[in-house]
Amino acid sequence: GGGTAAELAEFQARWRRGEPVVVGSLDREFELPWGPHGFLERFGAEQVNMIDCRDGKSVHWLTLAHFFAGYTKPWTRAKCPDTFRRMMLKLKDWPPNTDFRDKMPEYFDDLMEALPFPQYT
């Protein structure tokens, strides 16, 4: 990370006013793969809780691989056991009860390195 002096001054002015700041284009700064493929490789075998957005029911028998594979290959999405329609899944509390830094220390470090003003993180 690291921004220019002008960017830092602008950030500090917004910070003092309590305004939200959106940081864009971090994907160019990352060293690790921050997408479905990277998460599939690292965390795919984990059992996770999901919600089927079509009916609001809890889905607890699938892995994170099922979730991320649905984005890269939608035709592989798991089917609802009641209706046999492809489920529209969202993750529920992942990582559960775990601090991001503890669960994914390498991704936490990658994010902190990519942020423009590390003294504010």
Side-chain angles (χ1 to χ4, degrees):
T4 66
E7 291 168 333
L8 178 58
E10 176 67 20
F11 174 83
Q12 289 171 329
R14 292 177 181 274
W15 182 269
R16 280 191 294 278
R17 292 190 301 261
E19 295 177 2
V21 177
V22 176
V23 180
S25 303
L26 286 183
D27 56 325
R28 290 181 262 182
E29 303 292 328
F30 292 139
E31 298 292 325
L32 296 175
W34 282 79
H37 296 292
F39 284 107
L40 264 169
E41 184 179 311
R42 175 71 171 76
F43 304 104
E46 288 189 22
Q47 204 77 26
V48 293
N49 289 320
M50 293 178 259
I51 304 281
D52 184 354
C53 295
R54 295 184 193 275
D55 60 14
K57 291 183 180 176
S58 180
V59 178
H60 52 81
W61 62 88
L62 298 174
T63 65
L64 200 58
H66 290 99
F67 177 78
F68 283 115
Y71 284 97
T72 57
K73 300 175 185 167
W75 61 91
T76 67
R77 288 182 179 156
K79 292 184 179 180
C80 174
D82 299 329
T83 64
F84 302 105
R85 292 188 336 184
R86 300 238 180 252
M87 292 187 281
M88 184 72 71
L89 299 172
K90 69 176 179 178
L91 284 175
K92 183 178 182 204
D93 302 326
W94 187 82
N97 301 322
T98 306
D99 186 83
F100 176 57
R101 173 186 269 169
D102 296 334
K103 175 71 176 176
M104 304 179 218
E106 66 278 16
Y107 280 90
F108 178 84
D109 291 343
D110 197 33
L111 176 62
M112 293 300 108
E113 285 293 319
L115 292 174
F117 308 116
Q119 64 269 39
Y120 287 92
T121 57

